[in-house]
Amino acid sequence: MIRWLRRQRSLADYTLAALARRRGKNLALVAIYAVVVFFVASAMFFAAALRSESTAVLADAPEIVVQRLVLGRQDLIGAEAIDKVAAIRGVTDVKGRLWGYFYDRINGANYTVMVPDDPEMIPEPRSVIVGEGIPRARGFTWKGSPLFLSRETGDLKKFRISRTFGTDSALMTADLVLMNEADFRDFFGIAPGFYTDVVARVRNPQEVAKIVEKAGYAMPEMRFVTRNDIIRTYQKVFDWREGLLAALAGAALLAFAIFAAEKASGLSAEEAREIGILKAIGWDTRDVISMKLWEGGLVSLGAFLLGAVTAYLHVFFFGGTLFAPVLKGWAVIYPEFDLSPHIDGLQLTTLALLTTVPYIAATLVPIWRAASADPDAIMR
Amino acid sequence: MIELQSVTKLYNEGRANQVEALRGIDLTVARNAVTVLKGPSGSGKTTLLSLIACMARPTSGRISLDGELVSGLPESFLTELRRTTFGFVFQRFNLVRGLSVLENVMLPAVPLGQDHADVRARAMERLDALDLAGKAQMKVEQLSGGETQRAAIARALINDAPILIADEPTANLDTVLAERFIDIVTGLRAEGRTVIITSHDPRIWGAEGVDAVIELRDGQITGEFA
């Protein structure tokens, strides 16, 4: 074992000296490699952080959402649905919700308008609480500014912005407008006793599927969406977007692997001669391959660390500027937020395997071929 | 003792450009002696040296080392022999450019897994014996011809090989350096080593310390002189 460790140490020493000899060439290789790792890592970090953020936000959401469907589309739901859902065993808390979308012709943006649950968040009459994206989209600072919104009938309604949400919750609140119930019904023309949907909490979350099944029989015209469905939908959206970037990054990775194989198979005359010398003075094929594995390992580890650290800074300190449109979605109101760093061992291991293995594998075969050459070739 | 019996070597066997480099060589190289293989270019000197040094295998015939048949051994055994039994000084010395003299001398010991400090000390000892200790940290491309040759000899001896193989070691050296080389070789023989040299340089095969001269022409031995 000690002999093996000493041998590895000597090989590593030699490899470092060999890398230092071709400094310019190797630095260029590490730089290109690091860019590829940066792309892959950014996509992974960004999507994982978004997934974790959305899962955390939805953790407190009600277990079941009940929607009334008319012609396959969601319609307003009557208050009697609240009583029907509340009558199901295991359901503890049922409420009607008022929310909808408002298309702002001035800037072409869609706002989400809601009546909040939390009494402390309910704005005073003719006041609204808005997400940070809305004043930005309208081009004013919120303090003291009125917000004019156009009703269905075409007349403008004036609201006072009482406060805005901070950027820490921007992922969920950037386009949000909170109103009190009376203003909401008045603005959208919704009669009392009707809601957008109904939400329910259950005593035992394990029973959600059973409750939904029972409710489905009792109210066949309703659709029941569980919290897990919503989480899954978010995950799928982010998975799809991550997949899009991963496909691009994968293509870059493949191109890089081809480049690495090309580089290794076209060993320079100097490198080939060096392998011949090493074999002639007593190194065997295994020693040469070990040395080249050290070389590949150091190059790919260096590039991996450089690419991964840069991607970390890019995603968590600079908001993932380069890939944000793909991963957050395209919108007029575009959330500005800082993602909380979320990286786990599995993610890093996957990234390391995804980026280092193709390079090492691509270089190994040509090196093996060169290392298998007869040592007497160097004599002639 | 190294013995060769009916050794032949073909390159590009079975192809249009087949070359018969050695034809039926029978030869005995004595231990603790300086043997010179002489002959014109293309006579098969370097090929013979490669076979003796286990760098290549004969197409036919037998090569044995101290009574043990080595020509049929698997590659891993041949590598082991190259590491522990033979030290090489190549015609162009073949030091690895970009590395220091010391790093080059330590290279053959890398696969052996020996203590780094011990190998370094041994390398410095070798360099010191060849008056190169002061240049240990210099890059090999900064050495003169004679210094490069001595660095190559130090590298060949780092694993304490009992047999030193040198291929045309004085081809590019002036008379003073050639004489210095003969002195070094004589010293190595005095230490109990066997030295086999290929050369068509009369300064080498005519030197006083040489024990045997084998003459080659067209892949065959045409003369042996003691």
Side-chain angles (χ1 to χ4, degrees), chain A residues 68 76-87 94 193-195 198 219 221-222:
Chain A
R68 179 167 169 259
L76 293 176
I77 188 168
E80 68 280 1
I82 296 175
D83 302 328
K84 281 189 185 173
V85 175
V94 189
F194 285 93
Y195 297 93
V198 169
M219 294 177 281
E221 75 283 18
M222 304 293 178

Side-chain angles (χ1 to χ4, degrees), chain B residues 1 29-34 162 188-195 211:
Chain B
M1 192 163 67
V29 178
R31 276 271 189 196
N32 191 20
V34 177
L188 292 173
R189 188 186 58 177
E191 287 173 12
R193 293 179 212 273
T194 304
V195 181
D211 298 295

Side-chain angles (χ1 to χ4, degrees), chain A residues 157-178:
Chain A
K157 192 152 174 84
K158 181 184 169 187
F159 295 95
R160 190 178 64 83
I161 298 176
S162 58
R163 53 187 263 223
T164 59
F165 293 102
T167 52
D168 53 339
S169 62
L171 182 62
M172 308 305 275
T173 63
D175 67 345
L176 193 62
V177 178
L178 294 185

